Amino acid sequence: MCGIVGAVAQRNVVPILIEGLKRLEYRGYDSAGLAVINGGLSRIRSAGRVGELAALSRNVRGNIGIAHTRWATHGAPTERNAHPHASRDEIAVVHNGIIENHVELRRKLEKLGYHFESETDTEVIAHLVHHYYRESRDLLAATRSAVKELKGAYAIAIVSHDSQERMVCAREGSPLLLGLGIEENFVASDASALLPVTRKMVYLEDGDVADIGLFEHKIYDREGHVAKRDAYLSELSAETTELGKYRHFMQKEIFEQPKAIADTIDVAINELGFSPLLFGPDGESILSEIDSVTIIACGTSYHAGLVAKYWIESLAGIPCQTEVASEYRYRESVCNPDTLIVTISQSGETADTLAALNHAKARGQTKTLSVCNVDESALIRQSKLRFLTRAGPEIGVASTKAFTTQLVALFLFTLTLAKIKGRLPIEQEAEHIESLRRLPHAVNHALEIEPQIVRWAEKFSEKHHALFLARGIHYPIALEGALKLKEISYIHAEAYPAGELKHGPLALVDSNMPVVAVAPSDVLLEKLKSNLQEVRARGGELYVVADEDSHFMEEASVHVIRMAEHAGYLSPILHAIPLQLLAYHAALQKGTDVDKPRNLAKSVTVE
């Protein structure tokens, strides 16, 4: 969601801050701002894009500064509510997260004589730090005193008007990392923001407070003890977060899927096979003890979990349920200590998913596995088992390659579980390995249908509603297709199991309601065809994504795109591709902001 960048250097940091914010634009935001120290505190904010902030700050200089892109929670997206927030032009702060006790703190600070200029929860942090700074004249001590009073989630970076070479930051429940340079240091909420200046990163833990200077940094844990946090050399490069030849990041990431999938399956099919060691050194002991699986995730990751439920019950033969993370911890569920809790997240910082994981662990469900795309993320660190997908940076808000690599990871997990449970004969294991080897090529073939999808999109761009239908394991793919279309084209779309048509959705079908059908050549194809006849009988127009041998006929009101031959268990991965392309090209036709859709953020780090 919101983005943080900070720098302490012996050069003008404004270009570093602006470039960092540009690299965080993908997270979604509605305002931006920066503050630098140069003989005092200078602050510039804009209720608009980072480009506008760059123009406003062209003549601003400073060797230390903080910057922020805001996704509005408390208060409208206005300049007054934009970060950084300041207290009496002496303390400035940027903040990701939500301070749950901000009303209580505001009352306290108002009694102490502080005047509030914004509607945000963040401004209480600036005044609280200032209050303690007046007493101690020490920014580190003031910050440590202030965070003890904060309830909720936060990643914060703070500067003071009388310190040219010192910044303090803190983390609780929201991601924050340090970037280490040569006689300069940095802070950010995402490694991508710092790639132009450093690849050496230190990830803060919850409760950490860091004191950052030109030549060194010190990190203190929740108890105030000096903490050692290992430095990592990021495998990313600045080029991986650039567009290259593509018009949008979403387009780039759709076409990166063959490589992302190949990289994700490489370690399994070329080294370990379907081995518990894929998921960590404790993989065999934990997976051999479980008798069921609960998958917890949000949004697109939840749809990946729904597909995995079909795989796990069919191939591994054990019960599996899939839960929406934001709902899971607010209901009374039955605790089974032999259930494996599987959490899925692209960023590994999704607040609801992290909270659900901690809820499950607190109830005694300690067998945990996380599927994630970001090494050293909170989700990875807090799970006993983990699988890191190799999608690379995903910048577009609407997830594409993260989704398909999650599906690959979950398929590898399913087959590993099936092998442990004695349900994967050697000949079937060999067949699955061969299918996985062919998968990147099959995805490349699926991408070749783009010209036909463009023609579909020309018609879709004129519509206000759409219906997506599928059956069985492809129903979650219909859900994902509907989500993609509404996310970036703003066309209202819903997905249903095709057998549910007569139970309500059929009332919506007419000539103005396009109906997209995911129609692989599986055992449910004939039943799906019968359901689609119900659509045709009501004057509906069908758009069918079919396998090569599914025998759908192109007619005036039936538009058919033929994929390759049926891909068996891996078919959902291939059928996701046309629906991604449809959403992308429909959004292009409508002229929406593809990579930064309104009201949405890439990483949802607040509940």
Side-chain angles (χ1 to χ4, degrees):
M1 301 180 82
C2 305
I4 287 175
V5 188
V8 183
Q10 298 180 78
R11 53 175 165 156
N12 181 22
V13 300
V14 172
I16 297 171
L17 299 179
I18 292 295
E19 178 61 27
L21 291 185
K22 287 179 178 177
R23 291 173 178 271
L24 293 178
E25 285 187 290
Y26 75 93
R27 296 170 71 97
Y29 71 102
D30 43 48
S31 59
L34 62 82
V36 295
I37 309 299
N38 188 0
L41 176 64
S42 298
R43 188 166 52 127
I44 298 174
R45 298 178 293 173
S46 170
R49 292 303 188 193
V50 171
E52 297 173 35
L53 180 68
L56 292 171
S57 59
R58 192 170 291 122
N59 298 319
V60 178
R61 297 184 60 83
N63 292 352
I64 179 172
I66 52 179
H68 190 268
T69 51
R70 176 178 185 250
W71 190 83
T73 54
H74 295 75
T78 62
E79 181 181 334
R80 183 166 62 98
N81 289 327
H83 297 214
H85 288 286
S87 182
R88 299 181 181 176
D89 292 327
E90 295 181 355
I91 297 292
V93 60
V94 290
H95 164 228
N96 290 355
I98 290 179
I99 304 304
E100 296 173 359
N101 61 333
H102 71 99
V103 174
E104 171 190 334
L105 291 173
R106 180 182 285 247
R107 292 195 190 106
K108 168 186 172 177
L109 290 161
E110 286 173 338
K111 289 178 181 178
L112 291 171
Y114 287 96
H115 171 69
F116 283 79
E117 298 178 350
S118 76
E119 304 166 79
T120 70
D121 56 329
T122 300
E123 194 176 354
V124 301
I125 304 173
H127 293 316
L128 197 59
V129 172
H130 184 273
H131 167 65
Y132 287 111
Y133 189 68
R134 285 191 307 177
E135 297 176 353
S136 66
R137 308 310 299 177
D138 184 311
L139 190 60
L140 175 64
T143 302
R144 288 171 61 181
S145 295
V147 298
K148 289 177 182 178
E149 297 191 36
L150 302 180
K151 296 178 182 178
Y154 56 80
I156 55 177
I158 305 168
V159 292
S160 170
H161 73 117
D162 58 1
S163 179
Q164 300 286 338
E165 297 181 355
R166 190 184 194 190
M167 176 190 309
V168 174
C169 60
R171 168 196 169 138
E172 182 68 55
S174 192
L176 198 64
L177 58 92
L178 309 185
L180 308 184
I182 299 173
E183 298 186 356
E184 57 184 13
N185 288 306
F186 311 91
V187 63
S189 52
D190 189 312
S192 63
L194 303 182
L195 290 176
V197 290
T198 184
R199 291 174 57 208
K200 193 174 183 180
M201 311 291 181
V202 175
Y203 292 84
L204 299 184
E205 301 282 349
D206 278 350
D208 283 354
V209 179
D211 191 359
I212 307 164
L214 281 172
F215 307 106
E216 64 176 355
H217 69 277
K218 286 187 177 179
I219 300 172
Y220 301 86
D221 63 20
R222 198 183 301 277
E223 284 71 41
H225 303 132
V226 174
K228 186 180 184 303
R229 304 287 183 240
D230 293 333
Y232 296 86
L233 193 64
S234 175
E235 296 181 2
L236 306 177
S237 66
E239 291 72 24
T240 60
T241 57
E242 294 173 355
L243 270 173
K245 66 180 181 179
Y246 294 97
R247 187 171 174 181
H248 296 94
F249 281 108
M250 182 179 180
Q251 180 189 30
K252 178 188 178 191
E253 288 151 13
I254 287 172
F255 281 87
E256 285 176 340
Q257 287 177 111
K259 182 180 186 304
I261 288 170
D263 290 345
T264 299
I265 65 178
D266 182 65
V267 65
I269 64 175
N270 292 329
E271 295 180 32
L272 297 175
F274 304 126
S275 165
L277 293 176
L278 283 171
F279 307 94
D282 297 326
E284 185 163 10
S285 61
I286 290 176
L287 296 183
S288 62
E289 293 175 355
I290 66 168
D291 58 17
S292 59
V293 175
T294 295
I295 299 173
I296 304 172
C298 299
T300 287
S301 297
Y302 173 72
H303 296 158
L306 289 175
V307 174
K309 173 182 170 68
Y310 285 90
W311 283 335
I312 290 167
E313 295 196 340
S314 173
L315 291 168
I318 64 173
C320 177
Q321 60 179 346
T322 308
E323 299 270 1
V324 175
S326 58
E327 293 292 322
Y328 174 70
R329 63 195 174 108
Y330 296 114
R331 69 176 184 83
E332 292 294 330
S333 56
V334 177
C335 179
N336 175 8
D338 291 326
T339 291
L340 180 71
I341 301 296
V342 178
T343 48
I344 313 170
S345 168
Q346 189 282 136
S347 67
E349 304 288 350
T350 306
D352 288 318
T353 306
L354 281 167
L357 172 61
N358 290 328
H359 172 74
K361 288 162 63 176
R363 298 176 72 244
Q365 296 180 290
T366 59
K367 297 178 174 68
T368 56
L369 162 67
S370 286
V371 175
C372 182
N373 190 42
V374 180
D375 198 7
E376 289 305 309
S377 63
L379 202 66
I380 288 288
R381 292 197 304 270
Q382 294 177 24
S383 298
K384 288 190 175 179
L385 305 181
R386 71 283 309 269
F387 187 95
L388 192 68
T389 59
R390 270 66 174 182
E394 189 177 67
I395 307 300
V397 167
S399 180
T400 51
K401 62 178 181 175
F403 175 65
T404 50
T405 54
Q406 285 171 355
L407 288 174
V408 169
L410 292 165
F411 191 64
L412 294 173
F413 165 67
T414 299
L415 293 175
T416 301
L417 200 55
K419 190 173 182 179
I420 288 173
K421 300 299 182 183
R423 292 175 59 94
L424 189 66
I426 293 176
E427 61 275 11
Q428 287 186 15
E429 182 175 10
E431 290 172 5
H432 287 306
I433 288 175
E434 185 57 32
S435 295
L436 285 165
R437 285 201 175 101
R438 294 196 302 265
L439 183 59
H441 176 73
V443 173
N444 258 322
H445 187 275
L447 290 167
E448 292 174 2
I449 66 171
E450 186 179 26
Q452 296 167 268
I453 291 289
V454 171
R455 292 193 290 273
W456 281 17
E458 290 171 356
K459 297 184 178 182
F460 265 76
S461 64
E462 303 169 354
K463 304 297 184 181
H464 298 288
H465 307 278
L467 192 62
F468 285 69
L469 300 175
R471 298 203 67 146
I473 197 171
H474 291 82
Y475 167 55
I477 302 304
L479 286 169
E480 177 63 11
L483 176 62
K484 285 290 157 287
L485 188 67
K486 71 180 88 171
E487 275 183 307
I488 62 169
S489 74
Y490 314 145
I491 296 171
H492 172 245
E494 299 293 339
Y496 285 90
E500 288 293 293
L501 266 176
K502 293 188 291 293
H503 298 280
L506 199 57
L508 297 172
V509 173
D510 60 20
S511 59
N512 293 316
M513 172 74 82
V515 177
V516 180
V518 182
S521 298
D522 60 13
V523 295
L524 291 171
L525 178 61
E526 293 306 318
K527 290 188 178 297
L528 176 65
K529 286 182 176 180
S530 297
N531 300 140
L532 298 185
Q533 288 298 328
E534 299 165 4
V535 173
R536 293 192 63 193
R538 273 76 181 178
E541 191 161 12
L542 286 169
Y543 295 80
V544 183
V545 181
D547 286 341
E548 191 175 50
D549 54 349
S550 59
H551 306 297
F552 272 97
M553 299 296 296
E554 182 94 22
E555 300 179 35
S557 61
V558 181
H559 313 281
V560 181
I561 286 179
R562 300 190 190 284
M563 308 276 284
E565 63 183 17
H566 184 50
Y569 283 107
L570 297 177
S571 176
I573 298 173
L574 297 181
H575 278 270
I577 308 298
L579 305 189
Q580 294 172 351
L581 289 169
L582 177 60
Y584 174 71
H585 284 287
L588 277 189
Q589 292 287 332
K590 289 176 68 69
T592 62
D593 192 341
V594 171
D595 287 332
K596 298 183 285 292
R598 66 190 184 201
N599 305 330
L600 298 179
K602 182 66 178 173
S603 298
V604 183
T605 54
V606 296
E607 184 176 0

